[in-house]
């Protein structure tokens, strides 16, 4: 009867979907190296390769990809791209025509490149292994309409047992400093281009001073608070090269409700688009 046929059709469809999912998983696992895993980006079906012993992206990278204006019709570069998560998320959201991820650590650059290939994004995203302090040797001035960066937050390398470990390089200013990030952004940006960064509020005065010094005028800022009654622990900031003086402070983003669940604002920024 009709009900039995409908149930059969649904069952066959689900079986085919499960088989397709299994094949896709097997096909993607060929991109992995020992110690790596595949994580779901929850955005347009994209997956990303990560290694917890090296470094895994956090909430700050996702929030930056959401906050940054990008350049829908232009080229975007992400400085210190790590796993390549920011270019991938911004590409999924239509925030650029082409993306470049610049990464100084060879293994991370290779891992990001394999994630791009695994998702079939080679024409949209390029990963370049290189030092942001040497951008003049890698790119022409004004080559990009937008620059993003989620740089190391912690000054110096005091007390580190292994300052050359990938995690320490990602978290501490070992291979570069805040000044290097902003100098590189200023060189790479075309006139009127945007630079967006996520950092720590305790360095905000330094960030604004350096951006202004290198003609990147701060235009937008959003504080991120863990709870409504707690002080901010992240700041999202964006500026325009050669822009006029006017800074818009956007409403703070609160991450958690009182019961520890994510706020609706946070879920909206994380959600698939």
């Amino acid at each position: 009867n009709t009900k039995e046929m409908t149930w059969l059709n649904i069952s066959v469809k689900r079986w085919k979907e499960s088989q397709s999912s299994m094949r896709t998983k097997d096909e993607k696992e060929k991109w992995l190296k020992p110690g790596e895993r595949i994580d779901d980006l929850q955005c347009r079906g994209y997956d990303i390769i990560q290694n917890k012993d090296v470094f895994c992206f956090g909430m700050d990278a996702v929030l930056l990809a959401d906050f940054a204006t990008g350049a829908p019709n232009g080229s975007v570069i992400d400085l210190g791209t790590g796993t390549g998560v920011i270019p991938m998320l911004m590409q999924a959201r239509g925030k650029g025509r082409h993306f470049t991820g610049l990464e100084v650590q060879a293994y991370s650059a290779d891992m990001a490149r394999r994630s791009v290939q695994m998702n079939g994004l080679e024409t949209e995203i390029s990963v370049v292994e290189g030092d942001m302090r040497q951008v003049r040797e890698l790119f022409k001035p004004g080559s990009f309409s937008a620059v993003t960066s989620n740089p190391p937050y912690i000054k110096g390398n005091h007390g580190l047992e292994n300052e050359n470990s990938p995690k320490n390089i990602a978290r501490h200013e070992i291979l570069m400093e805040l000044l290097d990030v902003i100098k590189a952004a200023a060189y790479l940006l075309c006139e009127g281009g945007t630079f967006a960064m996520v950092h720590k509020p305790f360095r905000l005065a330094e960030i604004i001073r350096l951006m202004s010094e290198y003609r990147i005028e701060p235009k937008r800022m959003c504080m991120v608070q863990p709870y409504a009654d707690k002080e901010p622990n992240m700041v999202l900031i964006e500026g325009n090269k050669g822009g006029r003086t006017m800074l818009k402070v956007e409403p703070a983003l609160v991450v958690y409700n009182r019961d520890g669940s994510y706020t609706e604002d946070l879920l909206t920024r994380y959600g698939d688009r």
Side-chain angles (χ1 to χ4, degrees):
N1 61 32
T2 304
K3 286 186 178 180
E4 288 177 347
M5 289 300 296
T6 300
W7 177 86
L8 179 61
N9 290 337
I10 292 172
S11 298
V12 170
K13 181 181 178 182
R14 287 177 177 171
W15 179 81
K16 287 181 177 179
E17 287 175 348
S18 68
Q19 292 297 106
S20 176
S21 176
M22 288 173 63
R23 286 196 299 271
T24 301
K25 183 179 179 183
D26 290 340
E27 289 169 0
K28 288 185 175 182
E29 285 184 348
K30 73 180 182 181
W31 296 102
L32 295 179
K33 292 184 177 181
E36 296 177 346
R37 71 186 193 216
I38 295 175
D39 290 332
D40 183 359
L41 279 181
Q42 299 182 14
C43 197
R44 287 183 63 176
Y46 293 169
D47 292 312
I48 192 166
I49 299 169
Q50 300 204 92
N51 186 331
K52 65 180 179 62
D53 295 323
V54 177
F55 192 76
C56 292
F57 74 87
M59 183 181 295
D60 48 4
V62 179
L63 295 181
L64 177 60
D66 172 79
F67 175 80
T69 300
N73 297 312
S75 298
V76 182
I77 185 168
D78 183 45
L79 302 177
T81 200
T83 59
V85 61
I86 291 172
M88 289 178 65
L89 289 176
M90 290 184 68
Q91 189 280 333
R93 295 172 181 182
K95 292 190 174 186
R97 188 183 69 249
H98 185 271
F99 295 83
T100 300
L102 180 64
E103 174 55 44
V104 69
Q105 299 190 75
Y107 173 72
S108 293
D110 173 68
M111 187 162 53
R113 195 174 289 116
R114 283 183 283 120
S115 286
V116 168
Q117 294 169 343
M118 180 178 69
N119 287 282
L121 296 172
E122 299 96 324
T123 59
E124 291 87 2
I125 302 174
S126 303
V127 178
V128 176
E129 182 185 337
D131 192 328
M132 72 176 72
R133 295 172 297 184
Q134 299 170 351
V135 289
R136 292 175 180 273
E137 300 170 21
L138 298 169
F139 305 99
K140 294 179 180 179
S143 298
F144 297 90
S145 300
V147 177
T148 58
S149 187
N150 177 15
Y153 300 148
I154 306 170
K155 279 192 171 187
N157 53 358
H158 304 294
L160 295 179
E161 292 184 7
N162 179 11
E163 66 178 38
N164 292 318
S165 76
K167 286 185 178 180
N168 286 332
I169 289 172
R171 293 169 177 162
H172 295 255
E173 292 185 343
I174 294 170
L175 297 183
M176 44 65 63
E177 298 178 355
L178 178 60
L179 173 61
D180 299 317
V181 179
I182 294 173
K183 282 177 65 175
Y187 171 82
L188 294 166
L189 277 177
C190 64
E191 200 69 16
T194 62
F195 168 60
M197 180 172 62
V198 58
H199 218 288
K200 290 295 185 182
F202 73 87
R203 300 192 67 180
L204 183 56
E206 181 185 4
I207 291 167
I208 291 176
R209 176 179 61 79
L210 287 171
M211 287 176 66
S212 297
E213 183 179 336
Y214 283 87
R215 297 186 60 250
I216 302 175
E217 188 61 35
K219 304 294 286 185
R220 299 171 54 220
M221 184 175 72
C222 176
M223 291 290 187
V224 182
Q225 301 172 215
Y227 291 90
D229 59 349
K230 299 294 183 182
E231 67 179 48
N233 60 358
M234 281 188 277
V235 60
L236 296 157
I237 188 166
E238 184 174 75
N240 285 92
K241 184 174 179 179
R244 295 182 178 180
T245 303
M246 190 181 76
L247 174 63
K248 178 184 178 182
V249 180
E250 300 181 355
L253 166 62
V254 179
V255 175
Y256 298 106
N257 295 309
R258 286 193 174 208
D259 62 2
S261 61
Y262 287 131
T263 62
E264 192 64 32
D265 192 5
L266 188 283
L267 291 173
T268 299
R269 296 173 190 244
Y270 255 77
D272 198 347
R273 299 185 180 187

